[in-house]
Amino acid sequence: MEHFAGLDVSMEETHVCVLDRDGVITHQAKVASTPADIAQELKKTPACRRVVFETGRMAPMLFHGLADHGVPVVCVESRQAYQALKSLTTHKTDRNDARGLAHLARTGFFKSVHVKSLPAHAVRSLIIARKKLVGQRVTLENQIRGLAVVFGVRLPRALSPAFIEQALRSSEGITGLSAAMRGLIGARAAVLAAVAAIDADIKRMVRASEACRRLMTIPGVGQLTALAFTAAIDDPERFKRSRDVGPYLGLVPRRYQSGEVDYTGSISKCGDRRVRTLLYEAANVMLTRCRQPLKLKAWALAIAKRSTMRKTRIALARRLAIIMHAMLRQGSEFKPA
């Protein structure tokens, strides 16, 4: 008889529930949240046809670890699983959630998701760290500017050399302000050094990636956009059609239909927010800074004549995602004409 398992994962422990084809519980346990411990626990039961758990922070490590141990693991969308589990039991407990996930595995009523490779997650971590550091740099610069303006000093652009010189000069001889300025300036210098180190790593990774170099032949697509897009796509073959990338990145309008009500709203904003932002910026660069004649740019400008520039940038970003995926799958370069 076939058996199915559900895993309710937390940081420390994982609840395991195994059901047979008729939905009868054959095994329940609580083990440490490591692939080796979970695989060892599943060996105590008959071979499972399917093992299901939800998406989460530990999903990549568990998915690839269990797959290496030969476990037929499937990762399911947590939002869909939440709605299904809510209707199965009155009380939400880890044990009940594991049993509910096992029922999903038994019935097949779930939507499996692609779990990116660990190298792709490492690249994403690098991009997220850079974004956070740049945000901290801007926060420190705004704080320096705010302290200086109290004393009537308006500082120039933060990335100019005169910014630090005038900030130090404005605080000379003022007890308290001088120490505060020097502390903020020292923290800003450390953040700038960390951003520079990450930029150097990104540059090396892009140089070593043939796919990123091909994507950078598109006007407006730089190193960060190319690297973030390849990490988000991970495996180009998992999309049957290139136009499926737009909905995956949340660049298509959200639609609601119920009876006589049928309207189309703003974009869904699903998927990787950072990649979506970078594609939007690349579209803006193509529209405003690219001087060479491009059919893609002419297509976007035709949309701008009958709509707003914001919608034009979104449409162009969606088209760029389609083109970039096709380039990754076919191994081709961008053709301007």
Side-chain angles (χ1 to χ4, degrees), residues 214 236-237 239-243 324-332:
R214 287 200 308 268
E237 298 299 329
F239 295 97
K240 294 182 180 180
R241 302 173 301 179
S242 293
R243 60 184 179 183
M324 292 167 72
H325 175 264
M327 291 171 60
L328 290 178
R329 188 167 58 179
Q330 299 170 7
S332 58

Side-chain angles (χ1 to χ4, degrees), residues 34 39 67-68 80 84 97 125 131 153 156 185 196 210 231 234 254 257 269 283 290 315 331:
T34 64
D68 291 340
Q80 184 204 23
D97 286 349
S125 300
K131 179 186 177 183
V153 178
I185 290 171
E210 182 183 352
D234 191 26
R254 188 190 301 272
Q257 185 181 50
K269 296 184 179 180
C290 180

Side-chain angles (χ1 to χ4, degrees), residues 32-93:
S33 296
T34 64
D37 290 330
I38 295 174
Q40 186 64 31
E41 187 65 30
L42 291 174
K43 288 181 180 179
K44 300 177 182 178
T45 68
C48 294
R49 178 182 175 185
R50 192 181 297 125
V51 179
V52 166
F53 70 99
E54 300 176 77
T55 55
R57 288 179 293 178
M58 299 184 65
M61 180 271 295
L62 286 178
F63 180 86
H64 295 291
L66 290 173
D68 291 340
H69 282 84
V71 178
V73 64
V74 178
C75 188
V76 303
E77 175 60 49
S78 59
R79 289 174 294 184
Q80 184 204 23
Y82 170 77
Q83 296 297 330
L85 296 177
K86 187 169 62 173
S87 62
L88 287 175
T89 59
T90 303
H91 303 288
K92 186 185 183 308
T93 63

Side-chain angles (χ1 to χ4, degrees), residues 287 297-313:
L287 288 171
K297 181 179 178 180
W299 170 82
L301 292 176
I303 296 177
K305 292 180 180 179
R306 63 178 186 270
S307 185
T308 63
M309 283 302 298
R310 181 176 177 274
K311 291 183 178 180
T312 301
R313 295 187 191 100

Side-chain angles (χ1 to χ4, degrees), residues 218 221 225 229 233 241-254 264-269 275-284 286-287 296 299-300 303 306-326:
I218 303 175
V221 176
T225 305
F229 186 83
I233 297 301
R241 302 173 301 179
S242 293
R243 60 184 179 183
D244 292 336
V245 180
Y248 174 74
L249 296 175
L251 287 169
V252 295
R254 188 190 301 272
T264 302
S266 59
I267 58 174
S268 62
K269 296 184 179 180
V275 177
R276 186 168 58 251
T277 302
L278 289 171
L279 288 172
Y280 185 89
E281 293 174 354
N284 185 55
M286 180 178 289
L287 288 171
L296 189 59
W299 170 82
I303 296 177
R306 63 178 186 270
S307 185
T308 63
M309 283 302 298
R310 181 176 177 274
K311 291 183 178 180
T312 301
R313 295 187 191 100
I314 292 173
L316 183 54
R318 182 170 59 248
R319 183 59 63 91
L320 282 175
I322 295 172
I323 293 172
M324 292 167 72
H325 175 264

